[in-house]
C-alpha cells in the first residue's frame, strides 16, 4: 500500500489581507476595583484621583470614561503617590524600609523625604537630585529640644510632614514620640516646637495656618495653636474641633476589629463602619485660598476592597453610587454571561428597578470629574451579568469603558436561610457593599441564561435550584411554586451524600420591582447545576447536573424529561461539591489506572453511535497534519463522567431531512451527546420529548459546546430574533449540521444522519485542552457590509484560536491569558461581536477584543493651563 502526502498550499495574500481587516487582538481596559490597593492621592485642581497597588500598578481616574493606567516594570508595592498639582504628573514611592513619609511642596520643585532614623532629606524636582548638605538630621533638632524633654530618648521616625497652608517654605515635622516642629526651610531654623507626649500618628493643618491637629495612638486628637515668638508649646489648646474627619480612634477592647472613619460636625456624629481596612481618604473641597474654611463637599475613602464616596452636602451624609470602581467581588463571582444589543425597553426597565434600589449612579453627583471622555457614544447597549456566592445576580453596564452597576437581583428571599442581620446603633453606620460572607453557600449562582426579548431569566445554583424569573415593574408579595425533577429515576445503587436542598418559603414573600420568581425547579439529588439553557419562545428551560439533565415547561409548570447520565462507577457524583467524603487514595488510584490504560490502549475504538460509519471514514484520514496530534482515548470508567457540560435548543432536522422541528441537545463529560426531538404544541397540549440520536465521541473527551448550523453554515438565531425580524431567517432548505466541540477536538456532523463532515484536533501542544468555545461575528474594517462567523476557542494554555465556520480552517492564534492563571481561564466569557472578559483578580475583569473593528478602550484627555510645549516635555 502506498501513501502520499501532498504539499500544503502557501498563504493566499488576498486572504491574509482580509484576515488583517477582520482580526486583531488587543487587551483594552480593566473593569472593576484594583486588586490590593496601597496608596491614594487626589489633584484638586484637575479633579483626578490616583490609586496605587501592591503589584506596582498606578491607575488614574476622572469623570466616567477618563482612565489612565501605568505599571511598574517590577512587582513593587506603591506605598505613596502624590500629584504634581495641575501637571498630570505623579510622584510615586515604592516600598523602601527606611523611608516613612513624603511631602511634595505646592511649588512642585522640592520633595521632602522623612526616614525611620528621624532624618529628613530634600530632593530637587523633576530631577530627583539630593540637595548637598541640606539634610535635616535628628541631632540638629535635638539641640533645640529642652533638656527635660530629651530624657535620653530618641524622637523616633518621622511620622508626618505637612506644608504650611499660608506660608510656603515652612513645614510641620512630626516625630513618632510626639514632638512636632515648625521648620523654616529658608532659614533652616525651628520656629516653634510642640512638646507632645503621646505617640504621634498624623498631622493636619487648619486652613488659616493658625493651628493644626495631631492624632495619637491612644485614639485621641489635639488642637495646637501656632503663635510667633513662642518657642515652646507644652499643651494643646483644645481636644474638640467643630468639624473633623478621622479614621480609627475606636476603643481597642470593644471595637479593635472595626474599620471606621468618623465624621463630627458640631452635634452631628457618624462613624462609618466598613467591612475592610481603611487605606486612606481625602475630601473634595474648595481650592480657593481666600475662603476661611475648606467647605468639603464629599469624602472619598479608599478601602482594601472598595471605594466609598460620602456626600457631605446632603442631610444624613448618604453614600454616592459609583459610576466605576464598583467592587465586583462584593460577594465572590461564581459565573457570568454577556448580552449584546440589549433592547431599549428592557434596559429602561432594569434602570428603573436599579434606581429604586439606589444602585444606579446619578449623573452630576460624582465628585471626581476631571478630564474629558472623547469616546463616541456606544452603538449598542451591553450587559454583563455576574452570579455570586451569596445568591445575587448583578447587572453591569459594559457598553463603554466605565463598568457601571445597573441592577441587583437577590434570590435568597425565595428560600429559608439563616441570615443574621447585625444591629446598627448610633453613631455606627454600615457603609459599603463588600460582604464576602455568604449566609448559605448553597445559594451560590452557577449558571445564568437571559432572553432579552421576552424578559425571562433563569438562574441556577449550587443546591440544584433552577429559578425562572419574569420582569415586573411593580412590587409583589406572592408564594413561588416549586416543582421537583428526579434525575436518578429510581436508579438503584446510588445514595446522595452531599448537602440538602434549600428549603423554599411556603408563605408569601416580598419581591421588589425587577426580576421576580415565577417557578422554582428543584433537581434531585440537589447537586450543583452545571449547565442551563432557555428557550422563551417555547417556554422551556433545560438544566444539567452531575447526574443527568432535565427539561421543564415553565408555562404549564410540568416536567417534560429527566435523563440520568450516571455511569456505574460515578461514585464521586454522589458526594457533592460541599462534601468532604472524597478520598485522596481513590483519586490517586483512578489517576494511575487512567495512565496505565492510556499506555496500553493502542487501537482505535469506533463510536458506539449512529455516526460510527462517518467516523470510520474520517479515521482513514488519520495521517494528521503537523499542527495536530493523535488523541489518546479516555476510559469510560472516569469518575464524574456523567456531568452534563452543555445544553442547546435548536429548530433543525433530526428525524429526517424533510421535517424540521424543536430539538434539545446535551453533552456530557464522557463524550456522549444526546439529541431529543421535541413536540411543542399550541395552547392546551403538553410538550413531549423523544430521543432522536445518541452520539458517542470516539475519544470520550468532555463535550464543551454544541452549536447547530443552518443550511449556510451559520449559527441559528436566538429565540424571537427571526420571528421579530431582528435577524436574518435561518436557511431551512439546505441540509443543517451540528458543530460539537470537545476538550480535544472540533467536529462538524451533517444532519439528520449525523455523518462526520470535518474535524480539527486542537492538540498542537501536549496537554492542550479546550476550555471555552463561542461563535462570534467579526466585521471588516475595510468593507462596511462584510463580516465572517468564526469559532473562538480558549485552551487551558490560555491561548485563543479562531476558525472558519463550518469548514474549521484555522485563521489566527493569540496568547491571551497566562496558563498558570486557572481562575482567569475558567472565568472567560465571549461576546457575539468578538470581545471578551476574564478575571485578572477577584475584583477586576480584563476586557479584550479579537475584532479589528470593535474595540472598547479609553479615549480621553486632560486639559492643562500650562503651555503645550511644556506639557509635552514633561510627558517625555
Amino acid at each position: 500500500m502506498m501513501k502520499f502526502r501532498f504539499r500544503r498550499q502557501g498563504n493566499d495574500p488576498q486572504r491574509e489581507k482580509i484576515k488583517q481587516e477582520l482580526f486583531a487582538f488587543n487587551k483594552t481596559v480593566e473593569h472593576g476595583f484594583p486588586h490590593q490597593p496601597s496608596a491614594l492621592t487626589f489633584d484638586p485642581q484637575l479633579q483626578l484621583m490616583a490609586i496605587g497597588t501592591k503589584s506596582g500598578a498606578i491607575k488614574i481616574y476622572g469623570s466616567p470614561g477618563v482612565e489612565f493606567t501605568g505599571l511598574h516594570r517590577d512587582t513593587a508595592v506603591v506605598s505613596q503617590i502624590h500629584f504634581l498639582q495641575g501637571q498630570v504628573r505623579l510622584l510615586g514611592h515604592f516600598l523602601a524600609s527606611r523611608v516613612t513619609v513624603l511631602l511634595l511642596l505646592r511649588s512642585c520643585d522640592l520633595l521632602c523625604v522623612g526616614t525611620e532614623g528621624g532624618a529628613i532629606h530634600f530632593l530637587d524636582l523633576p530631577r530627583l537630585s539630593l540637595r548637598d548638605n541640606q539634610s535635616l538630621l535628628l541631632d540638629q533638632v535635638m539641640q533645640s529640644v529642652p533638656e527635660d524633654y530629651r530624657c535620653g530618648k530618641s524622637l523616633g521616625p518621622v511620622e508626618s510632614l505637612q506644608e504650611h497652608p499660608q506660608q510656603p517654605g515652612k513645614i510641620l515635622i512630626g516625630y513618632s514620640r510626639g514632638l512636632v516642629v515648625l521648620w523654616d526651610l529658608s532659614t533652616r531654623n525651628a520656629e516653634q516646637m510642640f512638646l507632645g507626649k503621646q505617640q504621634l500618628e498624623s498631622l493636619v493643618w487648619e486652613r488659616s495656618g493658625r493651628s493644626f491637629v495631631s492624632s495619637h495612638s491612644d485614639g485621641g486628637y489635639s488642637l495646637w495653636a501656632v503663635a510667633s515668638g513662642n518657642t515652646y508649646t507644652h499643651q494643646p489648646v483644645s481636644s474638640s474641633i467643630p468639624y473633623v474627619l478621622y479614621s480609627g480612634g475606636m476603643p481597642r477592647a470593644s471595637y479593635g476589629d472595626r474599620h471606621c472613619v468618623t465624621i463630627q460636625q458640631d452635634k452631628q456624629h457618624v462613624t462609618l463602619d466598613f467591612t475592610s481596612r481603611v487605606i486612606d481618604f481625602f475630601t473634595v473641597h474648595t481650592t480657593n485660598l481666600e475662603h476661611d474654611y475648606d467647605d468639603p463637599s464629599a469624602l472619598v475613602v479608599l478601602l482594601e476592597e472598595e471605594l466609598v464616596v460620602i456626600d457631605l452636602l446632603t442631610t444624613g451624609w448618604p453614600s454616592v453610587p459609583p459610576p466605576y470602581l464598583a467592587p465586583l467581588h462584593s460577594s465572590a463571582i461564581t459565573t457570568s454571561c454577556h448580552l449584546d444589543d440589549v433592547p431599549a425597553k428592557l434596559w429602561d426597565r432594569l434602570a428603573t428597578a436599579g434606581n429604586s434600589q439606589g444602585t444606579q449612579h446619578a449623573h452630576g453627583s460624582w465628585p471626581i470629574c476631571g478630564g474629558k471622555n472623547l469616546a463616541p457614544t456606544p452603538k449598542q447597549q451591553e450587559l454583563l451579568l455576574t452570579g455570586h456566592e451569596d445568591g445575587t445576580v448583578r447587572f453591569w453596564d459594559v457598553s463603554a469603558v466605565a463598568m457601571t452597576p445597573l441592577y441587583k437581583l437577590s434570590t435568597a428571599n425565595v428560600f429559608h436561610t439563616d441570615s443574621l442581620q447585625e444591629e446598627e446603633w448610633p453613631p455606627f453606620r454600615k457603609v459599603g457593599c463588600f460582604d464576602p460572607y455568604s449566609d448559605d453557600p448553597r445559594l451560590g449562582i452557577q449558571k445564568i441564561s437571559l432572553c432579552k426579548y421576552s424578559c425571562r431569566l433563569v438562574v441556577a445554583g449550587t443546591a440544584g435550584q433552577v429559578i425562572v424569573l419574569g420582569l415586573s415593574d411593580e412590587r409583589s408579595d406572592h408564594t413561588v411554586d416549586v416543582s421537583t425533577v428526579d434525575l436518578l429515576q429510581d436508579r438503584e445503587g446510588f445514595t446522595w451524600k452531599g448537602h440538602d436542598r434549600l428549603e423554599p418559603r411556603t408563605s408569601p414573600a416580598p419581591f421588589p420591582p425587577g426580576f421576580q420568581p415565577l417557578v422554582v425547579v428543584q433537581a434531585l439529588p440537589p447537586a450543583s447545576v452545571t449547565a442551563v439553557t432557555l428557550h422563551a419562545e417555547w417556554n422551556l428551560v433545560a438544566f444539567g447536573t452531575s447526574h443527568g439533565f432535565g427539561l421543564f415547561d415553565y408555562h404549564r409548570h410540568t416536567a417534560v424529561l429527566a435523563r440520568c447520565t450516571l455511569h456505574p462507577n460515578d461514585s464521586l457524583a454522589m458526594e457533592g461539591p460541599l462534601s468532604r467524603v472524597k478520598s485522596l487514595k481513590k483519586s490517586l488510584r483512578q489517576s494511575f489506572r487512567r495512565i496505565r490504560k492510556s499506555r496500553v490502549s493502542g487501537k482505535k475504538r469506533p463510536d458506539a453511535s449512529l455516526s460510527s460509519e462517518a467516523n470510520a471514514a474520517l479515521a482513514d484520514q488519520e495521517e494528521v497534519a503537523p499542527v495536530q496530534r493523535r488523541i489518546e482515548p479516555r476510559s469510560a470508567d472516569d469518575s464524574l463522567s456523567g456531568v452534563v457540560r452543555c445544553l442547546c435548543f435548536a429548530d433543525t432536522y433530526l428525524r429526517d431531512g424533510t421535517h424540521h422541528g424543536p430539538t434539545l441537545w446535551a453533552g456530557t463529560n464522557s463524550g456522549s451527546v444526546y439529541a431529543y426531538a421535541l413536540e411543542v404544541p399550541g395552547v392546551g397540549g403538553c410538550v413531549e420529548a423523544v430521543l432522536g440520536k445518541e452520539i458517542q465521541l470516539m475519544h470520550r473527551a468532555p463535550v464543551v459546546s454544541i452549536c447547530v448550523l443552518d443550511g449556510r453554515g451559520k449559527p441559528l438565531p436566538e429565540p424571537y430574533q427571526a420571528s421579530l425580524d431582528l435577524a436574518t431567517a435561518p436557511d431551512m432548505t439546505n441540509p443543517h449540521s451540528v458543530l460539537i466541540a470537545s476538550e480535544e477536538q472540533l467536529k462538524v456532523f451533517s444532519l439528520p444522519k449525523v455523518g462526520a463532515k470535518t474535524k480539527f484536533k486542537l492538540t498542537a501542544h501536549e496537554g492542550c485542552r479546550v476550555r471555552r468555545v463561542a461563535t462570534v461575528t467579526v466585521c471588516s474594517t475595510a468593507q462596511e457590509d462584510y463580516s465572517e462567523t468564526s469559532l473562538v476557542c480558549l485552551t487551558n494554555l490560555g491561548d485563543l484560536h479562531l476558525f472558519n465556520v463550518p469548514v474549521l480552517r484555522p485563521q489566527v492564534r493569540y496568547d491571551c491569558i497566562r496558563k498558570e492563571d486557572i481562575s482567569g481561564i475558567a472565568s472567560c466569557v465571549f461576546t457575539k461581536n468578538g470581545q471578551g472578559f476574564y478575571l485578572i483578580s477577584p475584583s477586576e475583569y480584563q476586557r479584550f477584543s479579537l475584532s479589528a473593528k470593535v474595540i472598547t478602550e479609553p479615549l480621553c484627555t486632560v486639559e492643562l493651563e500650562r503651555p503645550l510645549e511644556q506639557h509635552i516635555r514633561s510627558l517625555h
Side-chain angles (χ1 to χ4, degrees):
M1 184 174 120
M2 300 178 68
K3 288 187 178 179
F4 297 92
R5 183 184 292 275
F6 294 94
R7 185 180 298 276
R8 290 184 165 190
Q9 294 182 350
N11 291 335
D12 178 4
Q14 182 62 29
R15 179 59 195 167
E16 292 302 311
K17 181 175 180 294
I18 293 174
K19 282 161 60 172
Q20 289 179 5
E21 294 166 354
L22 289 170
F23 307 111
F25 178 73
N26 290 287
K27 291 185 178 181
T28 54
V29 66
E30 293 173 2
H31 294 300
F33 181 77
H35 185 50
Q36 295 184 322
S38 53
L40 174 71
T41 190
F42 180 65
D43 186 333
Q45 275 184 255
L46 298 176
Q47 297 285 293
L48 296 174
M49 174 182 69
I51 295 175
T53 72
K54 290 183 178 179
S55 62
I58 295 179
K59 302 192 174 191
I60 301 174
Y61 302 93
S63 59
V66 176
E67 294 186 16
F68 304 91
T69 301
L71 188 64
H72 197 266
R73 289 190 195 91
D74 306 313
T75 301
V77 176
V78 182
S79 59
Q80 296 182 54
I81 44 177
H82 301 271
F83 271 110
L84 278 70
Q85 289 193 15
Q87 299 185 29
V88 201
R89 289 195 293 175
L90 274 169
L91 180 70
H93 173 243
F94 295 87
L95 191 62
S97 57
R98 289 187 54 78
V99 176
T100 55
V101 62
L102 300 178
L103 169 63
L104 176 64
L105 297 191
R106 286 191 299 277
S107 58
C108 296
D109 59 357
L110 185 66
L111 177 69
C112 309
V113 181
T115 66
E116 285 182 348
I120 301 171
H121 305 286
F122 302 98
L123 284 73
D124 283 316
L125 297 178
R127 298 189 305 275
L128 288 176
S129 57
L130 182 67
R131 285 191 176 181
D132 296 332
N133 303 318
Q134 295 285 310
S135 297
L136 175 59
L137 303 179
L138 201 55
D139 292 344
Q140 295 172 256
V141 178
M142 290 294 283
Q143 291 173 7
S144 305
V145 175
E147 185 66 36
D148 60 339
Y149 187 82
R150 295 183 200 174
C151 303
K153 296 179 182 178
S154 168
L155 296 179
V158 179
E159 288 291 344
S160 183
L161 293 171
Q162 298 291 333
E163 185 179 12
H164 196 294
Q166 302 295 335
Q167 301 177 33
K170 292 183 180 181
I171 61 173
L172 270 184
I173 305 168
Y175 295 92
S176 176
R177 184 176 151 194
L179 176 69
V180 179
V181 179
L182 178 58
W183 186 263
D184 191 323
L185 293 171
S186 58
T187 64
R188 293 182 54 76
N189 283 318
E191 279 201 1
Q192 193 173 351
M193 289 195 170
F194 306 87
L195 308 178
K197 296 179 181 178
Q198 294 291 339
Q199 183 176 327
L200 185 72
E201 295 291 329
S202 66
L203 298 171
V204 62
W205 279 103
E206 180 262 326
R207 190 178 186 86
S208 69
R210 291 190 290 268
S211 61
F212 66 88
V213 180
S214 61
S215 66
H216 303 277
S217 61
D218 64 353
Y221 60 85
S222 301
L223 180 68
W224 300 79
V226 177
S228 59
N230 189 1
T231 307
Y232 301 114
T233 301
H234 294 268
Q235 295 294 333
V237 294
S238 172
S239 60
S240 64
I241 304 165
Y243 196 170
V244 63
L245 300 94
Y246 56 87
S247 64
M250 295 292 105
R252 285 194 174 92
S254 304
Y255 305 105
D257 60 341
R258 298 242 184 164
H259 312 290
C260 299
V261 171
T262 298
I263 310 171
Q264 286 180 269
Q265 183 183 24
D266 299 324
K267 293 183 179 180
Q268 285 185 281
H269 179 190
V270 171
T271 296
L272 307 173
D273 192 3
F274 304 105
T275 54
S276 61
R277 186 169 62 90
V278 177
I279 304 297
D280 203 351
F281 67 87
F282 64 82
T283 57
V284 179
H285 55 261
T286 178
T287 57
N288 190 338
L289 296 177
E290 295 179 1
H291 284 222
D292 293 333
Y293 303 102
D294 286 344
D295 298 327
S297 59
L299 167 67
V300 179
V301 186
L302 176 65
L303 304 155
E304 206 165 35
E305 304 292 353
E306 62 185 317
L307 185 86
V308 173
V309 175
I310 303 296
D311 181 354
L312 297 176
L313 298 180
T314 303
T315 304
W317 298 327
S319 299
V320 180
Y324 51 78
L325 283 176
L328 311 181
H329 64 319
S330 50
S331 172
I333 294 175
T334 49
T335 187
S336 61
C337 80
H338 179 271
L339 273 85
D340 68 331
D341 207 8
V342 178
K345 188 174 181 180
L346 169 60
W347 189 275
D348 292 342
R349 293 176 72 187
L350 286 173
T352 301
N355 275 329
S356 66
Q357 299 174 331
T359 301
Q360 267 206 298
H361 162 70
H363 293 288
S365 62
W366 188 246
I368 303 156
C369 51
K372 188 176 182 181
N373 182 16
L374 302 178
T377 303
K379 294 182 179 178
Q380 61 174 3
Q381 290 173 309
E382 299 180 49
L383 278 176
L384 183 70
L385 277 61
T386 53
H388 297 263
E389 195 177 58
D390 62 355
T392 59
V393 178
R394 287 170 165 81
F395 292 63
W396 306 91
D397 178 0
V398 291
S399 314
V401 168
M403 183 175 182
T404 308
L406 193 68
Y407 163 72
K408 183 178 85 170
L409 164 70
S410 176
T411 62
N413 58 342
V414 179
F415 306 98
H416 286 292
T417 57
D418 299 326
S419 58
L420 296 174
Q421 292 295 326
E422 191 174 345
E423 281 191 42
E424 287 187 8
W425 54 274
F428 287 98
R429 189 173 90 203
K430 285 284 183 188
V431 181
C433 58
F434 177 72
D435 183 10
Y437 306 108
S438 172
D439 293 332
D440 191 326
R442 296 174 298 174
L443 288 169
I445 305 298
Q446 296 299 322
K447 297 293 173 184
I448 305 170
S449 182
L450 171 62
C451 174
K452 58 191 178 186
Y453 304 113
S454 64
C455 301
R456 289 289 182 265
L457 171 68
V458 174
V459 295
T462 304
Q465 70 272 29
V466 180
I467 309 172
V468 183
L469 305 103
L471 189 59
S472 174
D473 301 325
E474 304 294 333
R475 173 193 161 97
S476 173
D477 291 77
H478 64 267
T479 305
V480 182
D481 288 344
V482 180
S483 296
T484 58
V485 177
D486 182 8
L487 297 178
L488 290 184
Q489 296 292 288
D490 301 323
R491 186 175 289 201
E492 295 181 359
F494 292 101
T495 304
W496 173 246
K497 303 173 186 175
H499 50 264
D500 293 333
R501 58 183 282 186
L502 285 162
E503 182 185 350
R505 290 183 183 273
T506 54
S507 57
F511 299 103
F515 278 104
Q516 299 172 352
L518 304 174
V519 63
V520 174
V521 185
Q522 179 63 57
L524 296 177
S528 182
V529 176
T530 55
V532 75
T533 188
L534 166 71
H535 201 298
E537 211 166 355
W538 301 338
N539 297 313
L540 294 176
V541 59
F543 57 91
T545 71
S546 53
H547 307 122
F549 57 92
L551 178 63
F552 189 82
D553 180 342
Y554 61 81
H555 179 66
R556 299 174 180 83
H557 290 204
T558 57
V560 178
L561 169 69
R563 171 71 187 246
C564 182
T565 55
L566 281 176
H567 188 272
N569 290 354
D570 274 350
S571 55
L572 287 184
M574 302 310 294
E575 293 178 0
L578 305 180
S579 170
R580 298 180 181 271
V581 184
K582 185 174 180 180
S583 164
L584 179 61
K585 289 183 180 179
K586 182 176 181 181
S587 300
L588 290 170
R589 189 163 57 245
Q590 290 170 336
S591 299
F592 284 121
R593 188 181 297 138
R594 282 198 296 270
I595 292 171
R596 285 199 301 272
K597 287 191 176 183
S598 67
R599 285 174 178 167
V600 299
S601 57
K603 65 179 183 179
K604 300 169 195 166
R605 183 186 320 184
D607 281 1
S609 68
L610 298 175
S611 58
S612 56
E613 292 181 9
N615 278 306
L618 276 177
D620 291 339
Q621 306 166 16
E622 202 64 27
E623 283 296 321
V624 295
V627 295
Q628 302 182 42
R629 180 178 58 84
R630 290 182 185 274
I631 303 169
E632 295 291 345
R634 300 193 183 196
S635 167
D637 299 335
D638 286 357
S639 294
L640 296 175
S641 63
V643 174
V644 177
R645 293 286 294 271
C646 58
L647 292 160
C648 165
F649 284 114
D651 183 355
T652 189
Y653 299 92
L654 188 63
R655 290 172 171 165
D656 56 56
T658 56
H659 303 91
H660 63 86
T663 61
L664 170 66
W665 300 72
T668 73
N669 234 16
S670 60
S672 298
V673 176
Y674 305 92
Y676 280 80
L678 307 178
E679 291 289 339
V680 183
V683 180
C686 294
V687 180
E688 295 181 1
V690 179
L691 181 63
K693 309 288 183 192
E694 188 172 337
I695 307 167
Q696 179 61 59
L697 298 183
M698 185 182 299
H699 301 287
R700 299 184 179 274
V703 180
V704 178
S705 171
I706 300 172
C707 177
V708 175
L709 308 175
D710 70 3
R712 292 187 295 266
K714 303 289 185 184
L716 296 179
E718 297 175 32
Y720 285 111
Q721 272 193 326
S723 60
L724 296 176
D725 292 328
L726 299 171
T728 305
D731 183 343
M732 306 301 285
T733 56
N734 295 305
H736 285 197
S737 54
V738 59
L739 195 166
I740 299 175
S742 74
E743 282 192 357
E744 297 176 346
Q745 67 180 352
L746 313 173
K747 210 165 188 177
V748 176
F749 297 89
S750 62
L751 292 177
K753 292 186 177 180
V754 196
K757 294 174 68 176
T758 184
K759 68 179 177 181
F760 187 91
K761 297 179 181 178
L762 197 70
T763 49
H765 307 286
E766 192 69 31
C768 177
R769 293 286 182 270
V770 176
R771 288 289 179 257
R772 288 283 184 272
V773 176
T775 54
V776 298
T777 300
V778 184
C779 298
S780 169
T781 56
Q783 304 175 56
E784 190 66 33
D785 58 346
Y786 183 75
S787 64
E788 287 187 6
T789 300
S790 299
L791 185 77
V792 56
C793 296
L794 173 68
T795 75
N796 63 328
L797 303 180
D799 52 355
L800 293 165
H801 301 257
L802 279 95
F803 300 88
N804 270 3
V805 175
V807 295
L808 299 183
R809 185 177 297 113
Q811 297 301 301
V812 288
R813 176 199 165 277
Y814 302 112
D815 291 322
C816 181
I817 311 173
R818 292 181 303 108
K819 65 180 179 181
E820 298 83 10
D821 187 1
I822 297 172
S823 61
I825 294 170
S827 65
C828 187
V829 58
F830 297 105
T831 75
K832 293 188 183 301
N833 61 6
Q835 298 188 80
F837 302 81
Y838 67 91
L839 288 171
I840 53 175
S841 77
S843 58
E844 293 171 289
Y845 272 109
Q846 172 69 63
R847 189 172 189 150
F848 63 89
S849 177
L850 300 165
S851 166
K853 186 171 184 178
V854 181
I855 300 176
T856 304
E857 61 184 350
L859 184 61
C860 52
T861 184
V862 177
E863 296 180 359
L864 304 177
E865 295 179 359
R866 295 182 300 146
L868 181 61
E869 295 81 7
Q870 186 182 352
H871 172 52
I872 293 171
R873 282 201 303 273
S874 70
L875 289 177
H876 286 284

